[in-house]
Amino acid sequence: MFFDRRVLLFMPLIAALILGIALSATLGFLQVSIPDVFVILWSKLIGHSQSANLDPVAATVVADVRMPRILAAVLVGGLLGVSGGVFQAILLNPLADSYTLGISTGAAFGASLVIVLQIFGLSLPAGASIPIFAFFGGIATLAVVLYLAAGDRSLSSTSLILAGVIVSAILSAAIGFLKFLADEQVGLIIFWLMGSLAGASWSNIALLVPTALAGTLVAVYYSRDLNIMATGDRAATSLGINTVRLRTILLTISTLMTALAVSVSGIIGFVGLIVPHMLRHIVGPDNRLLIPLSFFTGGLLLLIADTITRAILPVEVPIGVLTALLGGPFFCILFKQRQRDGKSDF
């Protein structure tokens, strides 16, 4: 019964995602038909030259410019959706996401730091870049949060959230100071903080695909344990679940996913918050369904948002701004609806 329900939920969503990718690849300044998109992608996949009937410029635009960005939107959205679902399950808080524990803020600090260092002309180690600094900024933030919360040996949700709020506040102040130091070049930091997929490349896809696959599989593997943890730490421990170990593993995996996503796209808010929260009202709290569905739904949501800002709006708006503009009112409406239903605790 569970398998049948899962198939019924996944198939339409996967079909919508595939259709969305194909449609998005046709949109832009250069119009390309859906059949031509599939021909171009098939030719690139098998390594053959395109048909003589296809415009070589269109083939290059689709294969090397649009598709990396489109796939990056799907993968980044999926990573944020899954990590948000895991954070909410671990912390037993439907308002939790990567911002709650300061992960996104840590990644933003790492990126801002390297931008300022480059502005001042300081020499950096070979290979140092904004994505690398952002990635390690997110990882270092988790280490500090876990260290602060370690006084509570059970790593309770309250301790983790409080530690995350403290670290996030400190890092936000540090980012403000870096903006001050950047002076006239502060636009570079602000643009990255607003999020963008314009610079996505096939090398980014090569990093995102294994991370998305491995991270989602690990989260799904522990989804049953997350369901049990929702009954409380005492009940979970009595059933043989090491709650501290489980929290540490899943927090680390989710942080890796978030940090890598942020290192590619910059700060994109509300995806990791709204997607699992919305799905929880549609399919219920079962993490065996919620987590994998969060990947596909998050990917579809961010693909739609990126397509709007890339191909529909007259001027390209940073995608982080667009997701906040769309997600903020939606979440306010949902919150008020829950209050009217007498469920303000979500």
Side-chain angles (χ1 to χ4, degrees), residues 281-298:
H281 295 294
I282 298 174
V283 302
D286 189 346
N287 288 292
R288 294 176 297 172
L289 278 174
L290 188 65
I291 289 175
L293 284 174
S294 293
F295 178 86
F296 294 108
T297 307

Side-chain angles (χ1 to χ4, degrees), residues 143-263:
V144 174
V145 169
L146 290 177
Y147 172 76
L148 292 177
D152 178 2
R153 294 184 179 180
S154 64
L155 284 181
S156 68
S157 302
T158 302
S159 297
L160 288 169
I161 291 175
L162 287 176
V165 169
I166 293 170
V167 174
S168 182
I170 295 172
L171 291 174
S172 295
I175 292 172
F177 180 68
L178 292 177
K179 289 180 182 179
F180 172 77
L181 293 178
D183 197 17
E184 295 181 357
Q185 302 296 323
V186 68
L188 296 174
I189 296 178
I190 294 176
F191 181 79
W192 193 88
L193 292 178
M194 290 189 295
S196 175
L197 291 164
S201 64
W202 285 111
S203 60
N204 296 139
I205 304 303
L207 289 174
L208 290 171
V209 168
T211 304
L213 181 62
T216 303
L217 288 176
V218 170
V220 171
Y221 176 79
Y222 286 110
S223 59
R224 179 179 173 274
D225 292 343
L226 285 174
N227 288 341
I228 297 174
M229 279 184 60
T231 62
D233 285 0
R234 182 174 300 177
T237 302
S238 67
L239 293 174
I241 295 177
N242 188 331
T243 57
V244 175
R245 176 176 172 271
L246 181 61
R247 283 196 178 99
T248 303
I249 291 174
L250 290 180
L251 283 174
T252 302
I253 293 297
S254 298
T255 298
L256 288 171
M257 296 168 70
T258 300
L260 185 58
V262 171
S263 72

Side-chain angles (χ1 to χ4, degrees), residues 25-245:
T26 67
L27 299 176
F29 180 77
L30 184 63
Q31 297 292 321
V32 183
S33 67
I34 290 182
D36 287 348
V37 168
F38 283 108
V39 171
I40 292 169
L41 295 179
W42 176 253
S43 299
K44 183 174 180 63
L45 183 64
I46 63 177
H48 289 177
S49 58
Q50 286 82 16
S51 169
N53 296 327
L54 293 178
D55 182 358
V57 175
T60 300
V61 168
V62 170
D64 298 326
V65 179
R66 291 182 186 174
M67 285 310 299
R69 178 168 179 167
I70 290 170
L71 294 178
V74 172
L75 292 168
V76 168
L79 287 169
L80 294 176
V82 171
S83 61
V86 172
F87 283 134
Q88 291 177 13
I90 290 175
L91 302 178
L92 299 177
N93 187 335
L95 298 178
D97 68 346
S98 57
Y99 288 94
T100 304
L101 295 181
I103 307 304
S104 294
T105 308
F109 173 77
S112 301
L113 179 61
V114 72
I115 290 174
V116 170
L117 292 177
Q118 291 173 346
I119 289 174
F120 282 93
L122 299 179
S123 59
L124 298 174
S129 64
I130 292 177
I132 292 176
F133 271 64
F135 178 78
F136 284 105
I139 300 300
T141 300
L142 175 66
V144 174
V145 169
L146 290 177
Y147 172 76
L148 292 177
D152 178 2
R153 294 184 179 180
S154 64
L155 284 181
S156 68
S157 302
T158 302
S159 297
L160 288 169
I161 291 175
L162 287 176
V165 169
I166 293 170
V167 174
S168 182
I170 295 172
L171 291 174
S172 295
I175 292 172
F177 180 68
L178 292 177
K179 289 180 182 179
F180 172 77
L181 293 178
D183 197 17
E184 295 181 357
Q185 302 296 323
V186 68
L188 296 174
I189 296 178
I190 294 176
F191 181 79
W192 193 88
L193 292 178
M194 290 189 295
S196 175
L197 291 164
S201 64
W202 285 111
S203 60
N204 296 139
I205 304 303
L207 289 174
L208 290 171
V209 168
T211 304
L213 181 62
T216 303
L217 288 176
V218 170
V220 171
Y221 176 79
Y222 286 110
S223 59
R224 179 179 173 274
D225 292 343
L226 285 174
N227 288 341
I228 297 174
M229 279 184 60
T231 62
D233 285 0
R234 182 174 300 177
T237 302
S238 67
L239 293 174
I241 295 177
N242 188 331
T243 57
V244 175
R245 176 176 172 271

